[in-house]
Every structure is written in C-alpha cells, then in structure tokens.
Amino acid sequence: MLEEVERWLSARSWSVADRPIQQLMAAKHAGGQSVSVVLPALDEEATVGGIVSVIRRELMERVPLVDELVVVDSGSRDRTSAVAAAAGARVVHRDAILPRVPAVPGKGEVLWRSLLVTGGDIVCFVDADLREFSADFVSGIVGPLLTEPDVHLVKAMYDRPLGAAPGQGGRVTELMARPLLNMHWPRLAGFVQPLGGEYAARRSLLEQLPFPVGYGVELGMLVDALHLVGLDALAQVDVGVRRHRHQDGQALGRMSAAIYRTAQLRLARGHLVRPSLTQFERGADGFEPRTYSVDTEERPPMTEIAEYAARKVA
C-alpha cells in the first residue's frame, strides 16, 4: 500500500462512536449547515418504510440533525411510494424532475436528479433495500462533514455478510472495483467499501461531478472527487454491519460491466497501473489492510520457445 494511503487510513478513517450525536448537533448549529437525506428506490416496499421511520424518529424528531428526507422513486411497480410517504418521507418521482431531459433507467440517474429537489448543504445517500437499518448509517457519514471543514465526501464502511457467511458480501467490489482501484487509482485503495450506497458529500462537490447514470456512479464519483478535491478531502466511517437484498449472478455481471465501463472512460485520462491489491479484514482494532501482489507476468506462446520447436522437429 502507498505510504500516502497508510497515512490517510490513520487520519481519515473513523468510527461512528468517534462523534456523539450531541457533538454533531453543536457543530451543525455552529456551522449553520443543512442536511438532506436521499433514498433512491425501485420496488423496495418491503424495506423503505422502515428506513424512513428510523431516520424520522431518530434524526428528525428526537434530534433535528436531518432537515429533509426525500425518497426518489425511479419507476416502482409496487407500493414503494405509498409506503415511503406513509412513513414520513417526501416522495418525488424521477420522471417529474427535470422533465425536459428524458430520464433513463439507472441509480446514478436518480441520484443526479435528486440534487434538483433537495436543498441541503450536505447530501446523504442511503440505499432503500437495507434491513436492520440503524440511524448510525446517516449520522456516521454526515458527522465528519459537520466537524471537519476540509472533508468533502464520506463513505460508510461496514461488514457485508452473505447469508450466514461474514464478510462475503460485496462480490462486485472484490472481483471488479477493488482490483480496478488498486491498479489504476491506488490512492483510493484504502476505501473498505468503495461501491457502498451509503455516503454523504457537500453539495458544493456533488454539483461539480458528472454522474454515470447506472451502477458505475459510486466508482465514478470516488475517482472524480479524488481528482477534484484530493485524497485528504475524502474519508470513511465504520458503521458496523450492512444487511440487504443480494442480487443474482447475472445482475452482478451487469453491474460489473457498468462499473468497468465507468473506469474505462476515466482511464482515458492516463493513470498509473500498480500491480498490487489491498483488501480488508476486521481485526481487534477495526478494519486492517492486507496487500498482495497481482500476477502480471505472461508466458509467450509455446511456439516461441526454442526447446518446444526442437521437440517438434525431433
């Protein structure tokens, strides 16, 4: 791992417990910053209401950390909109935002359009399929933006179990995104969950970024933010465990293709290729990095090997 990344991990990786809610409220009041939470949703009636209820109860009514809670429905065929509204969210339909620009399917499209229907100085994105949701997912990633003026974007980090197997979720992260970042953007190798859907950023940053319309939005946002504001303006916060609905292999393949295409477009700028991979395991003191070499050597075709040619002649 690059020395710069090791220093960043020490300076810009926190736990949700590092900033108690009262500290966040004091910082919010002192800075006069407003917070919007956005849930992009597509057919999530089973989970969206519970997430909205927790945010309203814990972060709007108990303490006024969140000023605005918006669910952007991207064309649900179930009761997602009705459930979200009943739980206390303002629901906006994707196609009603910026109607002069025809909407296309995709998560990034919804996040991009959400900037037009929210007003917070800090915008926090939360996926709508989370189970056993905790308000820590919001307060944890909003916290550094309220207390650290030089931080512009914060990602949540967490364990992602796959069924009963701990740490085996995030298959696209491990098989596609992490290798891409380690080899082409090694300064981003310290992010535990680079593709995670829970992150917060200053509006002043988000409004300057392009948004890939599909699943490449998280990787694209990290890479573009790195170039725009630098590594020290990025951070991550440990919020525990993330449980959600897992997709099948074909869906993961489509997601991987979108992420690869997003990386491919950015690689046109010309970046370092670094043949090593940093992964993370939770240890006694939190997430611990493990760096491995990536095999890069290739053997030539056997027809180019003199011994093989001699054997054929013999």
Side-chain angles (χ1 to χ4, degrees):
M1 181 179 288
L2 298 177
E3 289 185 10
E4 180 185 6
V5 177
E6 291 181 351
R7 291 193 298 270
W8 178 85
L9 278 169
S10 298
R12 287 290 187 256
S13 293
W14 295 294
S15 166
V16 66
D18 291 337
R19 293 175 177 81
I21 194 69
Q22 294 309 320
Q23 178 186 355
L24 301 187
M25 291 307 303
K28 183 175 188 285
H29 178 74
Q33 300 177 87
S34 56
V35 177
S36 298
V37 175
V38 173
L39 276 67
L42 176 63
D43 296 330
E44 302 294 356
E45 69 171 308
T47 50
V48 69
I51 298 170
V52 169
S53 295
V54 169
I55 296 172
R56 281 206 65 88
R57 182 179 66 250
E58 302 293 330
L59 301 178
M60 299 181 80
E61 296 167 0
R62 186 167 297 173
V63 294
L65 182 70
V66 172
D67 301 283
E68 184 178 36
L69 176 55
V70 178
V71 170
V72 182
D73 191 324
S74 59
S76 297
R77 293 166 294 181
D78 64 5
R79 299 182 61 253
T80 291
S81 290
V83 170
R90 177 163 63 94
V91 178
V92 183
H93 291 271
R94 176 199 62 196
D95 296 351
I97 307 170
L98 197 64
R100 73 171 181 82
V101 179
V104 297
K107 180 182 179 182
E109 177 85 353
V110 173
L111 301 184
W112 178 67
R113 289 175 186 264
S114 75
L115 297 180
L116 283 160
V117 293
T118 56
D121 303 303
I122 295 169
V123 183
C124 174
F125 298 120
V126 176
D127 281 350
D129 66 341
L130 302 189
R131 297 183 284 111
E132 301 177 26
F133 178 77
S134 165
D136 288 347
F137 275 81
V138 173
S139 60
I141 56 180
V142 166
L145 296 166
L146 293 171
T147 61
E148 309 289 333
D150 53 348
V151 170
H152 290 258
L153 184 148
V154 182
K155 298 279 294 190
M157 57 177 167
Y158 33 66
D159 290 313
R160 293 183 68 181
L162 180 63
Q168 295 302 306
R171 291 162 288 173
V172 175
T173 292
E174 298 301 332
L175 297 175
M176 175 62 71
R178 201 179 306 286
L180 282 171
L181 291 175
N182 274 257
M183 287 184 235
H184 298 296
W185 297 280
R187 295 170 69 202
L188 296 174
F191 277 95
V192 176
Q193 297 292 353
L195 299 186
E198 289 69 49
Y199 49 99
R202 300 192 189 280
R203 178 175 293 272
S204 57
L205 171 62
L206 293 172
E207 63 192 13
Q208 297 181 68
L209 297 177
F211 277 63
V213 298
Y215 285 117
V217 63
E218 275 85 22
L219 183 135
M221 191 174 294
L222 266 187
V223 170
D224 294 337
L226 173 68
H227 289 289
L228 193 61
V229 296
L231 182 60
D232 284 341
L234 313 180
Q236 59 186 349
V237 174
D238 187 350
V239 297
V241 179
R242 183 188 199 265
R243 302 183 188 277
H244 64 111
R245 171 175 48 80
H246 292 283
Q247 304 204 48
D248 63 28
Q250 288 192 335
L252 296 180
R254 294 189 294 272
M255 189 182 303
S256 296
I259 291 164
Y260 179 74
R261 177 57 176 160
T262 299
Q264 186 182 53
L265 291 172
R266 282 151 180 80
L267 284 171
R269 303 169 183 164
H271 294 289
L272 170 70
V273 177
R274 180 173 176 262
S276 62
L277 176 69
T278 299
Q279 297 177 312
F280 293 86
E281 297 176 7
R282 187 184 283 280
D285 298 320
F287 286 101
E288 299 175 356
R290 302 281 189 272
T291 300
Y292 305 90
S293 297
V294 175
D295 294 332
T296 58
E297 186 173 356
E298 296 186 11
R299 298 300 185 190
M302 192 58 73
T303 54
E304 298 178 14
I305 303 300
E307 292 84 349
Y308 186 76
R311 192 192 72 165
K312 291 187 70 174
V313 170

